[in-house]
Amino acid sequence: MPSKPRTDVRRRMLFAGFETVQENGVDATSLTEVADRAQAPRGSIYHHFPGGKAELLRDAIRLAGTLRSKQIAALVADDDPTRIVDEIIDMFREQLRASDYRAGCPVAASVMHGDNYPEAMTAAGESFSSWEELITQGLWQRGLTMEHAQSLATMVLTSIEGALLLAKAQRNTRALDRIQPELTKAITAAVQG
């Protein structure tokens, strides 16, 4: 993810929001922690997010989803379709190690315990759909049937998200390390097949 902007308080709060969600989940995300992390006055939360925590979470998850969609779109445009897997897994591996295995995917974290925040859950669903569609289109453009591209895209997305959960829980990157070559083989075989 790009570095946090220093001038826009609302945007800093959004970045702080998804960082907090990816470490703590939605229920444990507090507005105080978000304001502190964003280096913003605590009273400014309701100025920028009149809907409170629900609005902040929704918008933070949308931002996280949009940023990842841009990354996936750039990777899909590359000549090597396996870069999608390599770049995303490498990014998550680095993020896990840097956060002492606290930071996972903020979009997935919003789903895990997000029943109290349906707008955040909706934003997460939209993000996952966008990522899946981008990967599908990239594979389809390389000659796969639409059905095969959709199946492979779903497998890639769910494998990475599932391995990320295991990595957080087990406090090591073994699951990511194991799926990376398998996903790469599957994509290579599908595209060359």
Side-chain angles (χ1 to χ4, degrees):
M1 297 287 173
S3 63
K4 291 180 265 187
R6 296 286 177 215
T7 56
D8 183 352
V9 173
R10 186 177 194 283
R11 191 156 169 89
R12 285 198 329 258
M13 286 181 183
L14 290 173
F15 274 88
F18 79 66
E19 288 171 350
T20 305
V21 167
Q22 77 186 132
E23 291 178 11
N24 303 333
V26 292
D27 287 336
T29 292
S30 77
L31 295 180
T32 301
E33 182 176 355
V34 170
D36 290 348
R37 207 178 259 224
Q39 299 176 342
R42 291 181 184 170
S44 66
I45 291 267
Y46 289 99
H47 170 74
H48 293 288
F49 303 97
K53 184 175 176 178
E55 182 180 350
L56 171 76
L57 290 172
R58 179 199 66 207
D59 292 354
I61 297 309
R62 279 189 181 148
L63 175 62
T66 298
L67 292 172
R68 183 71 67 235
S69 290
K70 288 179 181 178
Q71 179 190 26
I72 292 170
L75 292 170
V76 164
D78 192 280
D79 287 336
D80 180 4
T82 63
R83 280 199 59 220
I84 295 167
V85 169
D86 292 336
E87 295 277 332
I88 292 173
I89 288 178
D90 290 347
M91 183 275 308
F92 276 133
R93 188 182 291 116
E94 183 180 313
Q95 177 181 296
L96 283 165
R97 290 177 178 150
S99 69
D100 194 29
Y101 296 90
R102 289 187 329 272
C105 174
V107 174
S110 69
V111 174
M112 302 298 279
H113 301 287
D115 294 340
N116 296 328
Y117 301 97
E119 291 179 347
M121 184 84 75
T122 298
E126 291 166 356
S127 294
F128 284 135
S129 293
S130 171
W131 303 347
E132 196 171 25
E133 180 61 25
L134 286 166
I135 296 168
T136 296
Q137 288 300 316
L139 294 170
W140 176 75
Q141 289 170 0
R142 285 170 176 78
L144 274 67
T145 66
M146 184 56 75
E147 184 178 342
H148 191 187
Q150 288 169 331
S151 296
L152 190 53
T154 300
M155 184 180 79
V156 167
L157 185 58
T158 58
S159 295
I160 292 172
E161 290 293 342
L164 185 55
L165 287 174
L166 287 174
K168 274 189 74 167
Q170 296 170 343
R171 299 186 54 75
N172 63 57
T173 62
R174 186 173 46 242
L176 290 167
D177 299 340
R178 287 177 177 164
I179 67 158
Q180 188 169 8
E182 298 303 323
L183 291 175
T184 298
K185 284 181 212 172
I187 291 172
T188 301
V191 170
Q192 292 176 352

